[in-house]
Amino acid sequence: MRTAFWLAGAAALVLANPASAGDTIKIGFVSTFSGPTAVIGNDMRNSFELALDHLGRKMGGKPVEVIYEDDGQKPDVGKQKTEKLVQSDKVDFLAGYIWSNVLLASLKTAVDSQTFLISANAGPSQLAGELCSPYVFSTSWQNDQTPAAVGLYMNANGVKSVFLIGPNYAAGKDMLAGLKSTFKGEVKGEEYTVWPSQLDFSAELSKARASGAESIFVFYPGAAGVQFLNQYAQAGLKSTMPLYTAFTVDELSLPLQKENALGVPGAQEWVNDLPNEQNKRFVADYRKKYTGLRPTYYGAQAYDAAQLINSAVVAVGGDTSKKDAMKAEMEKANFKSLRGAFKYGNNHIPIQNFYLQDVVKGAGGELSLKTVATIVTNDQDRFHDKCPMK
């Protein structure tokens, strides 16, 4: 069935009558703009808007119209919003998507309608493997890749055992599987928590302590990451069970986690201090436009999504009916990514570097994330060989 899902999309790309190109480039952007995780969606929107500023608010000589839709962090709502954007608004592109379960619920709508979807965050394993599509690209990663890099770092530092904790949904399962795919030590236990409602992790922390594990690995984005880290420190585990994370400490959570985040390493394909000129401009202009805020990897990936879309539109002179040509251009990753140059695998997931990031305290006492080292270069996800596209 999954192979048939991809084949239907591939056939449609070749056989469908092309849609007529409009006077504007219409982009539907699905993210979370309400509730505790709205800060993530807002950062993505801020960065997407900054990218449009840098592009002069035009692509291929045409003005850009963006329709932002709130998924409420719910798969059924995300699917409904995606259907509305495709069927009623008739957008040329879809972008955004924080959550893997929301993206998976929305995927068939995009593929069946032959609408290019650019995931600026979510990277479920199915998307990289059997549900890959000619219409779907990522400007982030496959979920497993970041925790897999953390596992390599833990091996290099001689960590012998770990207790795993994460949320019970698609990305949480991918993240813990990613860590296990590279970590060579013993996994002493594995706990999944109710997502997104559970914010009390005392039971899981007690199990971790009792397991005898040397360390803990967690994946908790947003408010859950703040709560987990604070409870971890309050439980007195920081001095006895080192914590390793993926997507738990970022520029959004750091002001709330404060010094509890010191000494908690993570990995990422983008950190705000990467030295390329495009990234320096992005960080400086973001801080200037959005006073008091610092960009995150969520935002950097959304910025790159706008640039990827622009590369496709420019290549066809604004004629978005030329889907084959746009697909071919996007596959080149021919734009200045904030992370530096990368290339796409056969499944449209980036092949890229992952960096060790750590929290540092500046001279004035302010906390920020810093690139410490490169953990792995030109990393390709482990599901690409399951993708029917070659």
Side-chain angles (χ1 to χ4, degrees):
M1 288 294 292
R2 288 170 171 169
T3 301
F5 176 93
W6 176 83
L7 289 173
L13 184 66
V14 174
L15 299 176
N17 292 323
S20 59
D23 295 330
T24 63
I25 304 301
K26 295 182 72 173
I27 302 171
F29 196 102
V30 179
S31 195
T32 305
F33 301 115
S34 60
T37 55
V39 291
I40 298 175
N42 290 336
D43 180 60
M44 293 174 73
R45 178 168 53 191
N46 287 349
S47 299
F48 200 81
E49 286 292 312
L50 180 58
L52 295 180
D53 289 348
H54 286 172
L55 293 169
R57 315 295 298 188
K58 289 186 177 183
M59 294 181 179
K62 293 181 177 180
V64 178
E65 176 187 356
V66 185
I67 303 169
Y68 293 98
E69 294 288 355
D70 181 9
D71 60 29
Q73 202 174 341
K74 298 176 181 178
D76 58 335
V77 175
K79 180 176 182 288
Q80 291 167 8
K81 295 301 178 69
T82 300
E83 290 172 346
K84 178 256 187 188
L85 288 166
V86 168
Q87 297 167 8
S88 299
D89 297 313
K90 301 187 184 305
V91 297
D92 299 299
F93 298 89
L94 293 161
Y97 298 95
I98 301 173
W99 314 107
S100 291
N101 50 354
V102 173
L103 177 57
L104 288 172
S106 306
L107 188 61
K108 193 172 187 298
T109 298
V111 173
D112 284 356
S113 64
Q114 308 162 47
T115 305
F116 286 111
L117 185 155
I118 316 301
S119 174
N121 192 69
S125 54
Q126 300 93 323
L127 189 71
E130 63 267 28
L131 293 187
C132 69
S133 167
Y135 293 102
V136 181
F137 287 78
S138 167
T139 54
S140 56
W141 21 253
Q142 190 277 316
N143 287 339
D144 293 41
Q145 288 183 281
T146 304
V150 177
L152 292 173
Y153 173 71
M154 292 169 69
N155 293 338
N157 281 269
V159 179
K160 302 301 183 184
S161 62
V162 66
F163 192 92
L164 309 179
I165 307 175
N168 190 17
Y169 81 112
K173 294 174 182 178
D174 279 347
M175 296 291 171
L176 270 57
L179 189 285
K180 289 187 290 185
S181 73
T182 58
F183 180 63
K184 295 181 179 179
E186 181 182 0
V187 176
K188 293 278 193 177
E190 189 170 346
E191 287 290 317
Y192 290 92
T193 60
V194 179
W195 180 258
S197 60
Q198 182 175 337
L199 294 176
D200 180 359
F201 305 105
S202 55
E204 289 73 27
L205 287 166
S206 294
K207 289 180 181 180
R209 189 199 302 268
S211 73
E214 177 185 340
S215 63
I216 301 175
F217 171 82
V218 301
F219 159 69
Y220 283 114
V226 175
Q227 290 293 99
F228 184 91
L229 192 56
N230 291 345
Q231 290 172 27
Y232 161 79
Q234 290 165 6
L237 293 175
K238 198 169 183 181
S239 60
T240 59
M241 295 184 75
L243 182 65
Y244 300 88
T245 70
F247 307 104
T248 298
V249 180
D250 57 44
E251 297 288 359
L252 295 176
S253 62
L254 193 52
L256 299 173
Q257 293 163 332
K258 300 179 181 178
E259 295 200 1
N260 285 340
L262 287 170
V264 179
Q268 199 42 263
E269 100 288 8
W270 177 89
V271 190
N272 53 24
D273 62 352
L274 291 180
N276 67 77
E277 292 305 313
Q278 186 82 353
N279 190 54
K280 290 178 181 179
R281 181 191 183 199
F282 165 69
V283 173
D285 287 358
Y286 186 103
R287 299 191 69 178
K288 182 178 179 180
K289 182 171 184 176
Y290 307 108
T291 305
L293 298 179
R294 297 171 64 93
T296 71
Y297 55 84
Y298 299 109
Q301 293 157 184
Y303 183 99
D304 275 3
Q307 297 289 349
L308 178 65
I309 293 171
N310 177 67
S311 71
V313 176
V314 170
V316 296
D319 185 355
T320 55
S321 69
K322 297 180 178 178
K323 294 181 182 288
D324 284 339
M326 290 196 296
K327 169 182 171 291
E329 183 63 26
M330 286 192 286
E331 287 177 338
K332 299 175 185 176
N334 188 24
F335 67 97
K336 293 181 179 179
S337 169
L338 300 181
R339 76 202 73 185
F342 73 89
K343 60 182 179 180
Y344 276 118
N346 62 299
N347 54 1
H348 297 167
I349 304 294
I351 299 172
Q352 59 193 330
N353 297 350
F354 285 84
Y355 304 96
L356 176 66
Q357 64 172 36
D358 209 349
V359 178
V360 296
K361 182 183 290 188
E366 72 281 0
L367 298 174
S368 64
L369 291 169
K370 179 179 177 61
T371 304
V372 179
T374 302
I375 300 175
V376 60
T377 60
N378 296 322
D379 184 66
Q380 185 170 22
D381 71 275
R382 63 194 181 100
F383 296 95
H384 69 94
D385 57 353
K386 296 181 181 180
C387 172
M389 296 190 298
K390 302 299 178 185

